[in-house]
């Protein structure tokens, strides 16, 4: 019998696409091995998001993130997991120039990480690129609404679709990425009535982040939902308070070291016993 017989099958982009209107799709971001391994049995997708630029590297936006960083963290998450579909974010500057540039870099991402899909930001303006990639074997998760890589042209991170005058453009974005072949679309920071309309109209699953329970699935930044972000966005629910837990543990360690209570006998190597 094959050694793969008992391994759970890894989810694919078509599996996610087929979940439209069905059981909610569960997704989280992930950038490193320990947390990827813990999340893998519980989620459908792990996104190596370019949010790592802010969360791991401390930048003020995702703009400085490089393709090499995405590939490094993508390799880590793909090799630490067995079940979840691993999706890698295309960073700013790696895909906007032309469909050919996007394909060259996306092909590198898939070859070098072992992940099976990429994500890129943009609706109608990226439709030609999404079609070019999907027709050539690169599954694409689209991302519309608040697109953080446009922070400098938008002038900040702003909720989209609060004014119904904005709705037609965002609905057209959703329709364009679905028509171009994206297997699902992230709706970020979109007012609930609009997220509901898009989810009802769009033939591919919508994955919400700050876009209400109307979406076909949800994604959060893992560090946000674990309580590590000192200023989490309003749409985050914290399922743990790791910041205070980590601080408590570090203070306890520091106290033990200063009191010579750590290391104790069980943490210490002895010499070999002679007969
Ligand atoms: O970079 C990221 O983590 C993302 C999610 C917030 C969807 O794009």
């Amino acid at each position: 019998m094959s050694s793969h017989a008992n391994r759970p099958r890894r989810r694919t982009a078509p599996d996610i696409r087929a979940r439209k209107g069905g059981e909610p799709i569960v997704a989280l971001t992930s950038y490193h091995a320990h947390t990827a391994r813990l999340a893998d049995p519980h989620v459908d997708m792990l996104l190596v998001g370019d949010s790592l630029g802010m969360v791991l590297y401390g930048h003020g936006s995702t703009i400085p993130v490089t393709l090499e960083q995405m590939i490094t963290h993508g390799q880590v998450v793909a090799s630490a997991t067995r079940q979840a579909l691993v999706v890698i974010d295309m960073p700013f500057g790696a895909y906007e120039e032309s469909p050919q540039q996007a394909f060259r870099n996306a092909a590198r991402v898939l070859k070098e990480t072992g992940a099976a899909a990429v994500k890129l930001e943009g609706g109608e303006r990226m439709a030609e690129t999404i079609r070019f990639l999907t027709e050539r074997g690169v599954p694409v998760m689209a991302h519309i609404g608040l697109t953080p890589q446009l922070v400098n042209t938008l002038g900040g991170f702003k909720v989209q679709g609060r004014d119904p005058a904005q709705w037609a453009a965002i609905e057209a974005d959703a329709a364009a990425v679905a028509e171009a072949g994206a297997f699902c679309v992230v709706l970020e920071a979109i007012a609930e009535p609009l997220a509901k309309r898009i989810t009802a109209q769009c033939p591919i699953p919508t994955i919400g982040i700050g876009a209400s329970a109307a979406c076909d699935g949800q994604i959060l930044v893992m560090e946000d939902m674990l309580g590590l972000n000192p200023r989490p966005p309003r749409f985050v629910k914290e399922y743990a308070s790791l910041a205070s837990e980590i601080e408590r543990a570090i203070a306890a360690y520091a106290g033990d070291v200063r009191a010579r209570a750590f290391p104790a006998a069980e943490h210490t190597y002895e010499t070999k016993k002679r007969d």
Side-chain angles (χ1 to χ4, degrees), residues 29 31 47 49-51 89 119 143 186 188 209 219 221:
T29 64
Y31 323 122
L47 170 69
D50 64 349
S51 52
D89 237 342
K119 175 166 87 57
H143 183 158
V186 171
E188 179 162 354
I209 174 159
I219 186 163
V221 171

PDB file of all heavy atoms in Angstrom, residues 29 31 47 49-51 89 119 143 186 188 209 219 221, ligand 1:
ATOM      1  N   THR A  29      -4.380  33.728   7.733  1.00  0.00           N
ATOM      2  CA  THR A  29      -3.034  33.971   7.222  1.00  0.00           C
ATOM      3  C   THR A  29      -2.060  33.121   8.037  1.00  0.00           C
ATOM      4  O   THR A  29      -2.345  32.724   9.174  1.00  0.00           O
ATOM      5  CB  THR A  29      -2.623  35.447   7.357  1.00  0.00           C
ATOM      6  OG1 THR A  29      -2.572  35.779   8.741  1.00  0.00           O
ATOM      7  CG2 THR A  29      -3.577  36.352   6.616  1.00  0.00           C
ATOM      8  N   TYR A  31       2.482  32.643   8.390  1.00  0.00           N
ATOM      9  CA  TYR A  31       3.807  32.989   7.863  1.00  0.00           C
ATOM     10  C   TYR A  31       4.904  32.074   8.382  1.00  0.00           C
ATOM     11  O   TYR A  31       6.026  32.149   7.919  1.00  0.00           O
ATOM     12  CB  TYR A  31       4.217  34.424   8.254  1.00  0.00           C
ATOM     13  CG  TYR A  31       3.114  35.442   8.261  1.00  0.00           C
ATOM     14  CD1 TYR A  31       2.812  36.152   9.422  1.00  0.00           C
ATOM     15  CD2 TYR A  31       2.394  35.717   7.100  1.00  0.00           C
ATOM     16  CE1 TYR A  31       1.819  37.115   9.432  1.00  0.00           C
ATOM     17  CE2 TYR A  31       1.393  36.675   7.105  1.00  0.00           C
ATOM     18  CZ  TYR A  31       1.105  37.369   8.279  1.00  0.00           C
ATOM     19  OH  TYR A  31       0.124  38.317   8.284  1.00  0.00           O
ATOM     20  N   LEU A  47      -3.311  31.547   3.864  1.00  0.00           N
ATOM     21  CA  LEU A  47      -2.786  32.583   2.979  1.00  0.00           C
ATOM     22  C   LEU A  47      -1.487  33.120   3.560  1.00  0.00           C
ATOM     23  O   LEU A  47      -1.474  33.604   4.702  1.00  0.00           O
ATOM     24  CB  LEU A  47      -3.785  33.744   2.854  1.00  0.00           C
ATOM     25  CG  LEU A  47      -3.234  34.990   2.153  1.00  0.00           C
ATOM     26  CD1 LEU A  47      -2.997  34.721   0.670  1.00  0.00           C
ATOM     27  CD2 LEU A  47      -4.181  36.173   2.334  1.00  0.00           C
ATOM     28  N   GLY A  49       0.078  35.929   3.496  1.00  0.00           N
ATOM     29  CA  GLY A  49      -0.324  37.270   3.080  1.00  0.00           C
ATOM     30  C   GLY A  49       0.858  38.232   3.102  1.00  0.00           C
ATOM     31  O   GLY A  49       1.777  38.081   3.910  1.00  0.00           O
ATOM     32  N   ASP A  50       0.770  39.252   2.240  1.00  0.00           N
ATOM     33  CA  ASP A  50       1.841  40.258   2.291  1.00  0.00           C
ATOM     34  C   ASP A  50       1.674  41.147   3.527  1.00  0.00           C
ATOM     35  O   ASP A  50       2.517  41.991   3.820  1.00  0.00           O
ATOM     36  CB  ASP A  50       1.927  41.084   0.998  1.00  0.00           C
ATOM     37  CG  ASP A  50       0.684  41.912   0.743  1.00  0.00           C
ATOM     38  OD1 ASP A  50      -0.335  41.706   1.430  1.00  0.00           O
ATOM     39  OD2 ASP A  50       0.721  42.771  -0.160  1.00  0.00           O
ATOM     40  N   SER A  51       0.613  40.908   4.306  1.00  0.00           N
ATOM     41  CA  SER A  51       0.488  41.546   5.623  1.00  0.00           C
ATOM     42  C   SER A  51       1.694  41.189   6.491  1.00  0.00           C
ATOM     43  O   SER A  51       1.945  41.838   7.508  1.00  0.00           O
ATOM     44  CB  SER A  51      -0.812  41.114   6.312  1.00  0.00           C
ATOM     45  OG  SER A  51      -0.919  39.708   6.328  1.00  0.00           O
ATOM     46  N   ASP A  89       0.460  35.483  -1.498  1.00  0.00           N
ATOM     47  CA  ASP A  89       0.176  36.827  -1.995  1.00  0.00           C
ATOM     48  C   ASP A  89       1.283  37.292  -2.939  1.00  0.00           C
ATOM     49  O   ASP A  89       2.468  37.129  -2.637  1.00  0.00           O
ATOM     50  CB  ASP A  89       0.171  37.799  -0.803  1.00  0.00           C
ATOM     51  CG  ASP A  89      -1.133  38.553  -0.682  1.00  0.00           C
ATOM     52  OD1 ASP A  89      -1.889  38.598  -1.672  1.00  0.00           O
ATOM     53  OD2 ASP A  89      -1.383  39.081   0.414  1.00  0.00           O
ATOM     54  N   LYS A 119      -2.503  35.008  -4.776  1.00  0.00           N
ATOM     55  CA  LYS A 119      -3.535  36.045  -4.626  1.00  0.00           C
ATOM     56  C   LYS A 119      -2.961  37.349  -5.166  1.00  0.00           C
ATOM     57  O   LYS A 119      -1.769  37.615  -4.991  1.00  0.00           O
ATOM     58  CB  LYS A 119      -3.930  36.226  -3.157  1.00  0.00           C
ATOM     59  CG  LYS A 119      -4.914  37.402  -2.955  1.00  0.00           C
ATOM     60  CD  LYS A 119      -5.555  37.393  -1.601  1.00  0.00           C
ATOM     61  CE  LYS A 119      -4.775  38.090  -0.525  1.00  0.00           C
ATOM     62  NZ  LYS A 119      -4.454  39.515  -0.791  1.00  0.00           N
ATOM     63  N   HIS A 143      -8.753  39.904  -4.947  1.00  0.00           N
ATOM     64  CA  HIS A 143      -8.884  40.684  -3.689  1.00  0.00           C
ATOM     65  C   HIS A 143      -9.390  42.067  -4.073  1.00  0.00           C
ATOM     66  O   HIS A 143      -8.684  42.805  -4.775  1.00  0.00           O
ATOM     67  CB  HIS A 143      -7.500  40.747  -3.021  1.00  0.00           C
ATOM     68  CG  HIS A 143      -7.462  41.449  -1.703  1.00  0.00           C
ATOM     69  ND1 HIS A 143      -6.472  41.229  -0.775  1.00  0.00           N
ATOM     70  CD2 HIS A 143      -8.276  42.383  -1.146  1.00  0.00           C
ATOM     71  CE1 HIS A 143      -6.666  41.984   0.285  1.00  0.00           C
ATOM     72  NE2 HIS A 143      -7.766  42.703   0.082  1.00  0.00           N
ATOM     73  N   VAL A 186     -11.425  37.692  -2.266  1.00  0.00           N
ATOM     74  CA  VAL A 186     -11.442  38.310  -0.933  1.00  0.00           C
ATOM     75  C   VAL A 186     -12.181  39.647  -1.037  1.00  0.00           C
ATOM     76  O   VAL A 186     -11.901  40.451  -1.930  1.00  0.00           O
ATOM     77  CB  VAL A 186      -9.998  38.551  -0.423  1.00  0.00           C
ATOM     78  CG1 VAL A 186      -9.995  39.392   0.845  1.00  0.00           C
ATOM     79  CG2 VAL A 186      -9.282  37.229  -0.192  1.00  0.00           C
ATOM     80  N   GLU A 188     -12.483  42.834   1.185  1.00  0.00           N
ATOM     81  CA  GLU A 188     -11.904  43.427   2.407  1.00  0.00           C
ATOM     82  C   GLU A 188     -12.590  44.746   2.741  1.00  0.00           C
ATOM     83  O   GLU A 188     -12.708  45.641   1.885  1.00  0.00           O
ATOM     84  CB  GLU A 188     -10.388  43.641   2.254  1.00  0.00           C
ATOM     85  CG  GLU A 188      -9.789  44.276   3.520  1.00  0.00           C
ATOM     86  CD  GLU A 188      -8.291  44.146   3.674  1.00  0.00           C
ATOM     87  OE1 GLU A 188      -7.647  43.465   2.864  1.00  0.00           O
ATOM     88  OE2 GLU A 188      -7.776  44.738   4.647  1.00  0.00           O
ATOM     89  N   ILE A 209     -13.182  39.699   4.912  1.00  0.00           N
ATOM     90  CA  ILE A 209     -12.368  40.169   6.047  1.00  0.00           C
ATOM     91  C   ILE A 209     -12.906  41.574   6.293  1.00  0.00           C
ATOM     92  O   ILE A 209     -12.696  42.487   5.505  1.00  0.00           O
ATOM     93  CB  ILE A 209     -10.838  40.099   5.787  1.00  0.00           C
ATOM     94  CG1 ILE A 209     -10.063  40.734   6.945  1.00  0.00           C
ATOM     95  CG2 ILE A 209     -10.421  40.666   4.448  1.00  0.00           C
ATOM     96  CD1 ILE A 209      -8.611  40.302   7.048  1.00  0.00           C
ATOM     97  N   ILE A 219     -11.702  35.172   6.375  1.00  0.00           N
ATOM     98  CA  ILE A 219     -10.257  35.109   6.623  1.00  0.00           C
ATOM     99  C   ILE A 219      -9.899  36.180   7.644  1.00  0.00           C
ATOM    100  O   ILE A 219     -10.532  37.248   7.667  1.00  0.00           O
ATOM    101  CB  ILE A 219      -9.434  35.279   5.323  1.00  0.00           C
ATOM    102  CG1 ILE A 219      -7.943  35.055   5.586  1.00  0.00           C
ATOM    103  CG2 ILE A 219      -9.669  36.639   4.652  1.00  0.00           C
ATOM    104  CD1 ILE A 219      -7.113  34.807   4.334  1.00  0.00           C
ATOM    105  N   VAL A 221      -6.214  37.761   9.816  1.00  0.00           N
ATOM    106  CA  VAL A 221      -4.775  37.675  10.068  1.00  0.00           C
ATOM    107  C   VAL A 221      -4.609  36.927  11.396  1.00  0.00           C
ATOM    108  O   VAL A 221      -5.209  37.298  12.412  1.00  0.00           O
ATOM    109  CB  VAL A 221      -4.144  39.090  10.129  1.00  0.00           C
ATOM    110  CG1 VAL A 221      -2.708  39.034  10.614  1.00  0.00           C
ATOM    111  CG2 VAL A 221      -4.218  39.747   8.743  1.00  0.00           C
TER     112      VAL A 221
HETATM  113  O1  LIG B   1      -2.076  40.153   3.252  1.00  0.00           O
HETATM  114  C1  LIG B   1      -3.036  39.634   3.833  1.00  0.00           C
HETATM  115  O2  LIG B   1      -2.913  39.097   4.940  1.00  0.00           O
HETATM  116  C2  LIG B   1      -4.337  39.705   3.187  1.00  0.00           C
HETATM  117  C3  LIG B   1      -5.526  39.282   3.976  1.00  0.00           C
HETATM  118  C4  LIG B   1      -5.817  40.317   4.963  1.00  0.00           C
HETATM  119  C5  LIG B   1      -6.693  38.956   3.127  1.00  0.00           C
HETATM  120  O3  LIG B   1      -4.428  40.119   2.071  1.00  0.00           O
END
